[in-house]
PDB file of all heavy atoms in Angstrom:
ATOM      1  N   TRP E   1       0.959 -12.071   1.072  1.00 98.00           N
ATOM      2  CA  TRP E   1       1.144 -12.160   2.491  1.00 98.00           C
ATOM      3  C   TRP E   1       0.573 -10.906   3.234  1.00 98.00           C
ATOM      4  O   TRP E   1      -0.016 -10.923   4.273  1.00 98.00           O
ATOM      5  CB  TRP E   1       2.606 -12.370   2.913  1.00 98.00           C
ATOM      6  CG  TRP E   1       2.889 -12.552   4.341  1.00 98.00           C
ATOM      7  CD1 TRP E   1       2.604 -13.759   5.041  1.00 98.00           C
ATOM      8  CD2 TRP E   1       3.270 -11.622   5.303  1.00 98.00           C
ATOM      9  NE1 TRP E   1       2.835 -13.496   6.383  1.00 98.00           N
ATOM     10  CE2 TRP E   1       3.221 -12.174   6.628  1.00 98.00           C
ATOM     11  CE3 TRP E   1       3.590 -10.189   5.187  1.00 98.00           C
ATOM     12  CZ2 TRP E   1       3.622 -11.482   7.677  1.00 98.00           C
ATOM     13  CZ3 TRP E   1       3.912  -9.575   6.328  1.00 98.00           C
ATOM     14  CH2 TRP E   1       3.977 -10.186   7.613  1.00 98.00           C
ATOM     15  N   LEU E   2       0.824  -9.728   2.615  1.00 98.00           N
ATOM     16  CA  LEU E   2       0.386  -8.496   3.165  1.00 98.00           C
ATOM     17  C   LEU E   2      -1.092  -8.182   3.047  1.00 98.00           C
ATOM     18  O   LEU E   2      -1.749  -7.689   4.015  1.00 98.00           O
ATOM     19  CB  LEU E   2       1.135  -7.234   2.620  1.00 98.00           C
ATOM     20  CG  LEU E   2       2.552  -7.077   2.984  1.00 98.00           C
ATOM     21  CD1 LEU E   2       3.273  -6.084   2.237  1.00 98.00           C
ATOM     22  CD2 LEU E   2       2.591  -6.671   4.520  1.00 98.00           C
ATOM     23  N   LEU E   3      -1.719  -8.534   1.969  1.00 98.00           N
ATOM     24  CA  LEU E   3      -2.990  -8.026   1.630  1.00 98.00           C
ATOM     25  C   LEU E   3      -4.100  -9.017   1.354  1.00 98.00           C
ATOM     26  O   LEU E   3      -5.302  -8.634   1.152  1.00 98.00           O
ATOM     27  CB  LEU E   3      -2.836  -7.185   0.309  1.00 98.00           C
ATOM     28  CG  LEU E   3      -1.884  -6.006   0.427  1.00 98.00           C
ATOM     29  CD1 LEU E   3      -1.615  -5.314  -0.877  1.00 98.00           C
ATOM     30  CD2 LEU E   3      -2.460  -4.976   1.458  1.00 98.00           C
ATOM     31  N   ALA E   4      -3.801 -10.264   1.192  1.00 98.00           N
ATOM     32  CA  ALA E   4      -4.792 -11.223   0.855  1.00 98.00           C
ATOM     33  C   ALA E   4      -5.701 -11.725   2.038  1.00 98.00           C
ATOM     34  O   ALA E   4      -5.418 -11.395   3.205  1.00 98.00           O
ATOM     35  CB  ALA E   4      -4.158 -12.505   0.199  1.00 98.00           C
ATOM     36  N   ARG E   5      -6.721 -12.442   1.691  1.00 97.00           N
ATOM     37  CA  ARG E   5      -7.641 -12.891   2.778  1.00 97.00           C
ATOM     38  C   ARG E   5      -7.048 -14.041   3.531  1.00 97.00           C
ATOM     39  O   ARG E   5      -6.101 -14.619   3.121  1.00 97.00           O
ATOM     40  CB  ARG E   5      -8.952 -13.331   2.169  1.00 97.00           C
ATOM     41  CG  ARG E   5      -8.839 -14.529   1.253  1.00 97.00           C
ATOM     42  CD  ARG E   5     -10.141 -14.716   0.385  1.00 97.00           C
ATOM     43  NE  ARG E   5      -9.656 -15.029  -0.875  1.00 97.00           N
ATOM     44  CZ  ARG E   5     -10.046 -16.159  -1.533  1.00 97.00           C
ATOM     45  NH1 ARG E   5     -11.009 -16.953  -1.079  1.00 97.00           N
ATOM     46  NH2 ARG E   5      -9.636 -16.430  -2.779  1.00 97.00           N
ATOM     47  N   ASP E   6      -7.559 -14.172   4.767  1.00 97.00           N
ATOM     48  CA  ASP E   6      -7.019 -15.235   5.632  1.00 97.00           C
ATOM     49  C   ASP E   6      -7.342 -16.586   5.102  1.00 97.00           C
ATOM     50  O   ASP E   6      -8.474 -17.117   5.276  1.00 97.00           O
ATOM     51  CB  ASP E   6      -7.610 -15.073   7.064  1.00 97.00           C
ATOM     52  CG  ASP E   6      -6.947 -13.718   7.726  1.00 97.00           C
ATOM     53  OD1 ASP E   6      -5.903 -13.383   7.335  1.00 97.00           O
ATOM     54  OD2 ASP E   6      -7.522 -13.318   8.695  1.00 97.00           O
ATOM     55  N   ALA E   7      -6.355 -17.234   4.542  1.00 96.00           N
ATOM     56  CA  ALA E   7      -6.419 -18.664   4.011  1.00 96.00           C
ATOM     57  C   ALA E   7      -5.114 -18.991   3.578  1.00 96.00           C
ATOM     58  O   ALA E   7      -4.214 -18.147   3.348  1.00 96.00           O
ATOM     59  CB  ALA E   7      -7.411 -18.764   2.911  1.00 96.00           C
ATOM     60  N   TYR E   8      -4.815 -20.234   3.415  1.00 97.00           N
ATOM     61  CA  TYR E   8      -3.566 -20.755   2.893  1.00 97.00           C
ATOM     62  C   TYR E   8      -3.608 -20.620   1.379  1.00 97.00           C
ATOM     63  O   TYR E   8      -4.518 -21.064   0.744  1.00 97.00           O
ATOM     64  CB  TYR E   8      -3.223 -22.184   3.260  1.00 97.00           C
ATOM     65  CG  TYR E   8      -2.772 -22.319   4.618  1.00 97.00           C
ATOM     66  CD1 TYR E   8      -3.647 -22.887   5.619  1.00 97.00           C
ATOM     67  CD2 TYR E   8      -1.549 -21.991   5.003  1.00 97.00           C
ATOM     68  CE1 TYR E   8      -3.228 -22.876   6.985  1.00 97.00           C
ATOM     69  CE2 TYR E   8      -1.015 -22.047   6.249  1.00 97.00           C
ATOM     70  CZ  TYR E   8      -1.870 -22.567   7.233  1.00 97.00           C
ATOM     71  OH  TYR E   8      -1.460 -22.613   8.568  1.00 97.00           O
ATOM     72  N   HIS E   9      -2.616 -19.763   0.801  1.00 98.00           N
ATOM     73  CA  HIS E   9      -2.601 -19.612  -0.601  1.00 98.00           C
ATOM     74  C   HIS E   9      -1.449 -20.412  -1.185  1.00 98.00           C
ATOM     75  O   HIS E   9      -0.264 -20.191  -0.755  1.00 98.00           O
ATOM     76  CB  HIS E   9      -2.348 -18.095  -0.884  1.00 98.00           C
ATOM     77  CG  HIS E   9      -3.506 -17.239  -0.402  1.00 98.00           C
ATOM     78  ND1 HIS E   9      -4.392 -16.704  -1.244  1.00 98.00           N
ATOM     79  CD2 HIS E   9      -3.739 -16.786   0.819  1.00 98.00           C
ATOM     80  CE1 HIS E   9      -5.282 -16.035  -0.590  1.00 98.00           C
ATOM     81  NE2 HIS E   9      -4.882 -15.971   0.705  1.00 98.00           N
ATOM     82  N   VAL E  10      -1.717 -21.429  -2.066  1.00 98.00           N
ATOM     83  CA  VAL E  10      -0.724 -22.257  -2.551  1.00 98.00           C
ATOM     84  C   VAL E  10      -0.726 -22.300  -4.077  1.00 98.00           C
ATOM     85  O   VAL E  10      -1.744 -21.927  -4.686  1.00 98.00           O
ATOM     86  CB  VAL E  10      -0.867 -23.804  -2.031  1.00 98.00           C
ATOM     87  CG1 VAL E  10      -0.708 -23.758  -0.541  1.00 98.00           C
ATOM     88  CG2 VAL E  10      -2.201 -24.279  -2.497  1.00 98.00           C
ATOM     89  N   GLY E  11       0.358 -22.703  -4.688  1.00 98.00           N
ATOM     90  CA  GLY E  11       0.368 -22.876  -6.141  1.00 98.00           C
ATOM     91  C   GLY E  11       1.224 -21.863  -6.800  1.00 98.00           C
ATOM     92  O   GLY E  11       1.686 -20.830  -6.195  1.00 98.00           O
ATOM     93  N   LEU E  12       1.506 -22.084  -8.052  1.00 98.00           N
ATOM     94  CA  LEU E  12       2.372 -21.274  -8.930  1.00 98.00           C
ATOM     95  C   LEU E  12       1.657 -20.200  -9.697  1.00 98.00           C
ATOM     96  O   LEU E  12       2.253 -19.436 -10.413  1.00 98.00           O
ATOM     97  CB  LEU E  12       3.058 -22.311  -9.850  1.00 98.00           C
ATOM     98  CG  LEU E  12       4.300 -21.826 -10.751  1.00 98.00           C
ATOM     99  CD1 LEU E  12       5.379 -21.311  -9.780  1.00 98.00           C
ATOM    100  CD2 LEU E  12       4.737 -23.058 -11.493  1.00 98.00           C
ATOM    101  N   SER E  13       0.441 -20.091  -9.449  1.00 97.00           N
ATOM    102  CA  SER E  13      -0.460 -19.277 -10.428  1.00 97.00           C
ATOM    103  C   SER E  13      -0.070 -17.725 -10.195  1.00 97.00           C
ATOM    104  O   SER E  13      -0.137 -17.032 -11.174  1.00 97.00           O
ATOM    105  CB  SER E  13      -1.871 -19.452 -10.223  1.00 97.00           C
ATOM    106  OG  SER E  13      -2.282 -19.251  -8.873  1.00 97.00           O
ATOM    107  N   GLY E  14       0.331 -17.268  -9.035  1.00 98.00           N
ATOM    108  CA  GLY E  14       0.679 -15.950  -8.918  1.00 98.00           C
ATOM    109  C   GLY E  14       1.889 -15.596  -9.777  1.00 98.00           C
ATOM    110  O   GLY E  14       2.046 -14.521 -10.447  1.00 98.00           O
ATOM    111  N   VAL E  15       2.865 -16.536  -9.810  1.00 98.00           N
ATOM    112  CA  VAL E  15       4.026 -16.393 -10.642  1.00 98.00           C
ATOM    113  C   VAL E  15       3.736 -16.445 -12.125  1.00 98.00           C
ATOM    114  O   VAL E  15       4.187 -15.586 -12.955  1.00 98.00           O
ATOM    115  CB  VAL E  15       5.093 -17.381 -10.300  1.00 98.00           C
ATOM    116  CG1 VAL E  15       6.369 -17.318 -11.269  1.00 98.00           C
ATOM    117  CG2 VAL E  15       5.657 -17.264  -8.886  1.00 98.00           C
ATOM    118  N   ILE E  16       2.773 -17.325 -12.441  1.00 98.00           N
ATOM    119  CA  ILE E  16       2.330 -17.449 -13.829  1.00 98.00           C
ATOM    120  C   ILE E  16       1.655 -16.153 -14.313  1.00 98.00           C
ATOM    121  O   ILE E  16       1.937 -15.719 -15.391  1.00 98.00           O
ATOM    122  CB  ILE E  16       1.305 -18.677 -13.897  1.00 98.00           C
ATOM    123  CG1 ILE E  16       2.004 -19.932 -13.766  1.00 98.00           C
ATOM    124  CG2 ILE E  16       0.546 -18.547 -15.264  1.00 98.00           C
ATOM    125  CD1 ILE E  16       1.163 -21.123 -13.501  1.00 98.00           C
ATOM    126  N   TYR E  17       0.836 -15.603 -13.426  1.00 98.00           N
ATOM    127  CA  TYR E  17       0.156 -14.335 -13.850  1.00 98.00           C
ATOM    128  C   TYR E  17       1.228 -13.205 -13.982  1.00 98.00           C
ATOM    129  O   TYR E  17       1.084 -12.331 -14.836  1.00 98.00           O
ATOM    130  CB  TYR E  17      -0.906 -13.950 -12.802  1.00 98.00           C
ATOM    131  CG  TYR E  17      -2.248 -14.454 -13.205  1.00 98.00           C
ATOM    132  CD1 TYR E  17      -2.593 -15.784 -12.900  1.00 98.00           C
ATOM    133  CD2 TYR E  17      -3.208 -13.614 -13.856  1.00 98.00           C
ATOM    134  CE1 TYR E  17      -3.874 -16.219 -13.310  1.00 98.00           C
ATOM    135  CE2 TYR E  17      -4.383 -14.102 -14.214  1.00 98.00           C
ATOM    136  CZ  TYR E  17      -4.738 -15.407 -13.982  1.00 98.00           C
ATOM    137  OH  TYR E  17      -5.956 -15.919 -14.315  1.00 98.00           O
ATOM    138  N   ALA E  18       2.238 -13.234 -13.227  1.00 98.00           N
ATOM    139  CA  ALA E  18       3.367 -12.210 -13.400  1.00 98.00           C
ATOM    140  C   ALA E  18       4.049 -12.379 -14.707  1.00 98.00           C
ATOM    141  O   ALA E  18       4.225 -11.451 -15.395  1.00 98.00           O
ATOM    142  CB  ALA E  18       4.282 -12.343 -12.181  1.00 98.00           C
ATOM    143  N   LEU E  19       4.376 -13.549 -15.086  1.00 98.00           N
ATOM    144  CA  LEU E  19       4.995 -13.898 -16.343  1.00 98.00           C
ATOM    145  C   LEU E  19       4.067 -13.464 -17.505  1.00 98.00           C
ATOM    146  O   LEU E  19       4.514 -12.901 -18.547  1.00 98.00           O
ATOM    147  CB  LEU E  19       5.419 -15.386 -16.552  1.00 98.00           C
ATOM    148  CG  LEU E  19       6.426 -15.871 -15.523  1.00 98.00           C
ATOM    149  CD1 LEU E  19       6.681 -17.355 -15.843  1.00 98.00           C
ATOM    150  CD2 LEU E  19       7.599 -15.109 -15.298  1.00 98.00           C
ATOM    151  N   TRP E  20       2.798 -13.858 -17.425  1.00 98.00           N
ATOM    152  CA  TRP E  20       1.775 -13.547 -18.406  1.00 98.00           C
ATOM    153  C   TRP E  20       1.729 -12.026 -18.619  1.00 98.00           C
ATOM    154  O   TRP E  20       1.746 -11.532 -19.787  1.00 98.00           O
ATOM    155  CB  TRP E  20       0.477 -14.107 -17.877  1.00 98.00           C
ATOM    156  CG  TRP E  20      -0.746 -13.706 -18.650  1.00 98.00           C
ATOM    157  CD1 TRP E  20      -1.166 -14.189 -19.893  1.00 98.00           C
ATOM    158  CD2 TRP E  20      -1.800 -12.812 -18.292  1.00 98.00           C
ATOM    159  NE1 TRP E  20      -2.366 -13.599 -20.274  1.00 98.00           N
ATOM    160  CE2 TRP E  20      -2.769 -12.760 -19.312  1.00 98.00           C
ATOM    161  CE3 TRP E  20      -2.005 -11.986 -17.048  1.00 98.00           C
ATOM    162  CZ2 TRP E  20      -3.867 -12.000 -19.151  1.00 98.00           C
ATOM    163  CZ3 TRP E  20      -3.053 -11.170 -17.050  1.00 98.00           C
ATOM    164  CH2 TRP E  20      -4.024 -11.196 -18.093  1.00 98.00           C
ATOM    165  N   SER E  21       1.510 -11.206 -17.540  1.00 98.00           N
ATOM    166  CA  SER E  21       1.348  -9.830 -17.692  1.00 98.00           C
ATOM    167  C   SER E  21       2.625  -9.119 -18.116  1.00 98.00           C
ATOM    168  O   SER E  21       2.568  -8.231 -18.909  1.00 98.00           O
ATOM    169  CB  SER E  21       0.783  -9.253 -16.461  1.00 98.00           C
ATOM    170  OG  SER E  21       1.687  -9.217 -15.369  1.00 98.00           O
ATOM    171  N   TYR E  22       3.756  -9.623 -17.704  1.00 98.00           N
ATOM    172  CA  TYR E  22       5.055  -9.190 -18.103  1.00 98.00           C
ATOM    173  C   TYR E  22       5.137  -9.254 -19.659  1.00 98.00           C
ATOM    174  O   TYR E  22       5.537  -8.296 -20.317  1.00 98.00           O
ATOM    175  CB  TYR E  22       6.215  -9.972 -17.519  1.00 98.00           C
ATOM    176  CG  TYR E  22       7.525  -9.513 -18.034  1.00 98.00           C
ATOM    177  CD1 TYR E  22       8.254  -8.438 -17.474  1.00 98.00           C
ATOM    178  CD2 TYR E  22       8.062 -10.084 -19.213  1.00 98.00           C
ATOM    179  CE1 TYR E  22       9.479  -8.032 -17.917  1.00 98.00           C
ATOM    180  CE2 TYR E  22       9.334  -9.575 -19.752  1.00 98.00           C
ATOM    181  CZ  TYR E  22       9.971  -8.568 -19.152  1.00 98.00           C
ATOM    182  OH  TYR E  22      11.132  -8.168 -19.628  1.00 98.00           O
ATOM    183  N   LEU E  23       4.852 -10.390 -20.189  1.00 98.00           N
ATOM    184  CA  LEU E  23       4.986 -10.635 -21.633  1.00 98.00           C
ATOM    185  C   LEU E  23       4.010  -9.767 -22.428  1.00 98.00           C
ATOM    186  O   LEU E  23       4.330  -9.194 -23.454  1.00 98.00           O
ATOM    187  CB  LEU E  23       4.818 -12.094 -22.036  1.00 98.00           C
ATOM    188  CG  LEU E  23       5.944 -13.036 -21.527  1.00 98.00           C
ATOM    189  CD1 LEU E  23       5.434 -14.517 -21.551  1.00 98.00           C
ATOM    190  CD2 LEU E  23       7.176 -12.774 -22.411  1.00 98.00           C
ATOM    191  N   LEU E  24       2.807  -9.625 -21.918  1.00 98.00           N
ATOM    192  CA  LEU E  24       1.823  -8.751 -22.586  1.00 98.00           C
ATOM    193  C   LEU E  24       2.246  -7.312 -22.540  1.00 98.00           C
ATOM    194  O   LEU E  24       2.241  -6.680 -23.605  1.00 98.00           O
ATOM    195  CB  LEU E  24       0.417  -8.957 -22.002  1.00 98.00           C
ATOM    196  CG  LEU E  24      -0.309 -10.184 -22.225  1.00 98.00           C
ATOM    197  CD1 LEU E  24      -1.588 -10.197 -21.389  1.00 98.00           C
ATOM    198  CD2 LEU E  24      -0.662 -10.321 -23.651  1.00 98.00           C
ATOM    199  N   ILE E  25       2.566  -6.746 -21.481  1.00 98.00           N
ATOM    200  CA  ILE E  25       2.920  -5.356 -21.286  1.00 98.00           C
ATOM    201  C   ILE E  25       4.257  -5.009 -22.023  1.00 98.00           C
ATOM    202  O   ILE E  25       4.403  -4.006 -22.665  1.00 98.00           O
ATOM    203  CB  ILE E  25       2.917  -4.924 -19.794  1.00 98.00           C
ATOM    204  CG1 ILE E  25       1.601  -5.081 -19.143  1.00 98.00           C
ATOM    205  CG2 ILE E  25       3.467  -3.506 -19.691  1.00 98.00           C
ATOM    206  CD1 ILE E  25       0.499  -4.327 -19.779  1.00 98.00           C
ATOM    207  N   TYR E  26       5.180  -6.038 -21.854  1.00 98.00           N
ATOM    208  CA  TYR E  26       6.496  -5.763 -22.489  1.00 98.00           C
ATOM    209  C   TYR E  26       6.301  -5.590 -23.975  1.00 98.00           C
ATOM    210  O   TYR E  26       6.872  -4.719 -24.658  1.00 98.00           O
ATOM    211  CB  TYR E  26       7.452  -6.880 -22.100  1.00 98.00           C
ATOM    212  CG  TYR E  26       8.747  -6.646 -22.717  1.00 98.00           C
ATOM    213  CD1 TYR E  26       9.800  -5.823 -22.002  1.00 98.00           C
ATOM    214  CD2 TYR E  26       9.192  -7.178 -23.961  1.00 98.00           C
ATOM    215  CE1 TYR E  26      11.036  -5.653 -22.593  1.00 98.00           C
ATOM    216  CE2 TYR E  26      10.465  -7.018 -24.558  1.00 98.00           C
ATOM    217  CZ  TYR E  26      11.320  -6.265 -23.826  1.00 98.00           C
ATOM    218  OH  TYR E  26      12.630  -6.052 -24.355  1.00 98.00           O
ATOM    219  N   GLY E  27       5.577  -6.532 -24.613  1.00 97.00           N
ATOM    220  CA  GLY E  27       5.357  -6.529 -26.024  1.00 97.00           C
ATOM    221  C   GLY E  27       4.639  -5.236 -26.520  1.00 97.00           C
ATOM    222  O   GLY E  27       5.084  -4.669 -27.574  1.00 97.00           O
ATOM    223  N   VAL E  28       3.669  -4.838 -25.812  1.00 95.00           N
ATOM    224  CA  VAL E  28       2.912  -3.610 -26.208  1.00 95.00           C
ATOM    225  C   VAL E  28       3.827  -2.432 -26.066  1.00 95.00           C
ATOM    226  O   VAL E  28       3.777  -1.513 -26.973  1.00 95.00           O
ATOM    227  CB  VAL E  28       1.629  -3.487 -25.336  1.00 95.00           C
ATOM    228  CG1 VAL E  28       0.992  -2.113 -25.528  1.00 95.00           C
ATOM    229  CG2 VAL E  28       0.707  -4.606 -25.652  1.00 95.00           C
ATOM    230  N   MET E  29       4.495  -2.342 -25.019  1.00 96.00           N
ATOM    231  CA  MET E  29       5.358  -1.128 -24.713  1.00 96.00           C
ATOM    232  C   MET E  29       6.722  -1.189 -25.629  1.00 96.00           C
ATOM    233  O   MET E  29       7.047  -0.064 -26.100  1.00 96.00           O
ATOM    234  CB  MET E  29       5.764  -1.040 -23.311  1.00 96.00           C
ATOM    235  CG  MET E  29       4.555  -0.846 -22.348  1.00 96.00           C
ATOM    236  SD  MET E  29       3.644   0.644 -22.663  1.00 96.00           S
ATOM    237  CE  MET E  29       4.866   1.868 -22.180  1.00 96.00           C
ATOM    238  N   ARG E  30       7.247  -2.231 -25.722  1.00 95.00           N
ATOM    239  CA  ARG E  30       8.541  -2.322 -26.412  1.00 95.00           C
ATOM    240  C   ARG E  30       8.472  -2.216 -27.938  1.00 95.00           C
ATOM    241  O   ARG E  30       9.251  -1.619 -28.583  1.00 95.00           O
ATOM    242  CB  ARG E  30       9.251  -3.685 -26.090  1.00 95.00           C
ATOM    243  CG  ARG E  30      10.566  -3.922 -26.782  1.00 95.00           C
ATOM    244  CD  ARG E  30      11.649  -3.000 -26.386  1.00 95.00           C
ATOM    245  NE  ARG E  30      12.877  -3.347 -26.965  1.00 95.00           N
ATOM    246  CZ  ARG E  30      13.321  -2.796 -28.098  1.00 95.00           C
ATOM    247  NH1 ARG E  30      12.558  -1.978 -28.809  1.00 95.00           N
ATOM    248  NH2 ARG E  30      14.543  -3.172 -28.617  1.00 95.00           N
ATOM    249  N   ARG E  31       7.393  -2.836 -28.452  1.00 91.00           N
ATOM    250  CA  ARG E  31       7.021  -2.695 -29.970  1.00 91.00           C
ATOM    251  C   ARG E  31       8.086  -3.228 -30.822  1.00 91.00           C
ATOM    252  O   ARG E  31       8.205  -2.695 -32.020  1.00 91.00           O
ATOM    253  CB  ARG E  31       6.584  -1.325 -30.262  1.00 91.00           C
ATOM    254  CG  ARG E  31       5.390  -0.845 -29.517  1.00 91.00           C
ATOM    255  CD  ARG E  31       4.874   0.397 -30.053  1.00 91.00           C
ATOM    256  NE  ARG E  31       3.634   0.694 -29.271  1.00 91.00           N
ATOM    257  CZ  ARG E  31       3.212   1.926 -29.102  1.00 91.00           C
ATOM    258  NH1 ARG E  31       3.873   2.962 -29.623  1.00 91.00           N
ATOM    259  NH2 ARG E  31       2.073   2.065 -28.443  1.00 91.00           N
ATOM    260  N   SER E  32       8.887  -4.166 -30.491  1.00 93.00           N
ATOM    261  CA  SER E  32       9.796  -4.876 -31.387  1.00 93.00           C
ATOM    262  C   SER E  32       8.927  -5.958 -32.033  1.00 93.00           C
ATOM    263  O   SER E  32       7.924  -6.372 -31.495  1.00 93.00           O
ATOM    264  CB  SER E  32      11.009  -5.453 -30.738  1.00 93.00           C
ATOM    265  OG  SER E  32      10.644  -6.570 -29.886  1.00 93.00           O
ATOM    266  N   VAL E  33       9.342  -6.467 -33.203  1.00 95.00           N
ATOM    267  CA  VAL E  33       8.686  -7.496 -33.887  1.00 95.00           C
ATOM    268  C   VAL E  33       8.550  -8.725 -32.951  1.00 95.00           C
ATOM    269  O   VAL E  33       7.390  -9.302 -32.859  1.00 95.00           O
ATOM    270  CB  VAL E  33       9.284  -7.847 -35.200  1.00 95.00           C
ATOM    271  CG1 VAL E  33       8.602  -9.026 -35.893  1.00 95.00           C
ATOM    272  CG2 VAL E  33       9.177  -6.626 -36.237  1.00 95.00           C
TER     273      VAL E  33
END
């Protein structure tokens, strides 16, 4: 809402990318099996 270009942004993909990067970064940083 604050920073994107002027257009309607719809869909779940922003949340999907958040879950994706969370899982990647968490695993690399946490280093549990």
